[in-house]
Amino acid sequence: MSRYSLQQAATLLGTGRTTLCRELRAKGIFDAHNLPARHHVSCGRFVVDLKTFEHPGLGEQQPYGKTLVTRRGLLWLANILERDIAIQREAANDG
């Protein structure tokens, strides 16, 4: 299954990562941390990978979620954001 970072998805959708995230927050798809609502993950549109980083002040591992867009999610986003781009070709070459 193909997974795209938010930056890659934004590029394929003809926009920037910040703009894409802002649009998805405005539509209630993402929360304030750019994590998708649970039902979008269940539908297979997004995957959230659990990562950790060492907090510089605390010196301990802190978890965070990294949002990835699936091929299905990329096509869905193109539809709801009304973007007419070459996503179909990208998706067709992937499967």
Side-chain angles (χ1 to χ4, degrees):
M1 174 194 316
S2 295
R3 296 177 180 180
Y4 303 93
S5 69
L6 292 176
Q7 179 62 54
Q8 291 169 323
T11 299
L12 290 168
L13 293 169
T15 189
R17 181 187 181 280
T18 302
T19 302
L20 176 63
C21 291
R22 184 182 318 119
E23 290 175 358
L24 297 179
R25 285 192 305 270
K27 291 183 177 291
I29 296 168
F30 278 6
D31 67 10
H33 302 286
N34 295 332
L35 295 174
R38 184 171 295 178
H39 68 276
H40 293 296
V41 174
S42 299
C43 289
R45 297 172 182 146
F46 300 95
V47 174
V48 178
D49 280 349
L50 188 60
K51 305 271 188 178
T52 59
F53 73 98
E54 186 166 337
H55 189 284
L58 300 175
E60 57 187 44
Q61 295 291 314
Q62 297 290 308
Y64 70 96
K66 179 176 179 171
T67 301
L68 300 171
V69 183
T70 65
R71 187 174 88 186
R72 172 185 281 181
L74 193 62
L75 296 172
W76 178 77
L77 286 173
N79 185 48
I80 66 159
L81 297 174
E82 299 177 352
R83 306 249 185 215
D84 185 27
I85 59 171
I87 292 176
Q88 303 300 334
R89 207 171 45 231
E90 171 71 20
N93 291 337
D94 198 40

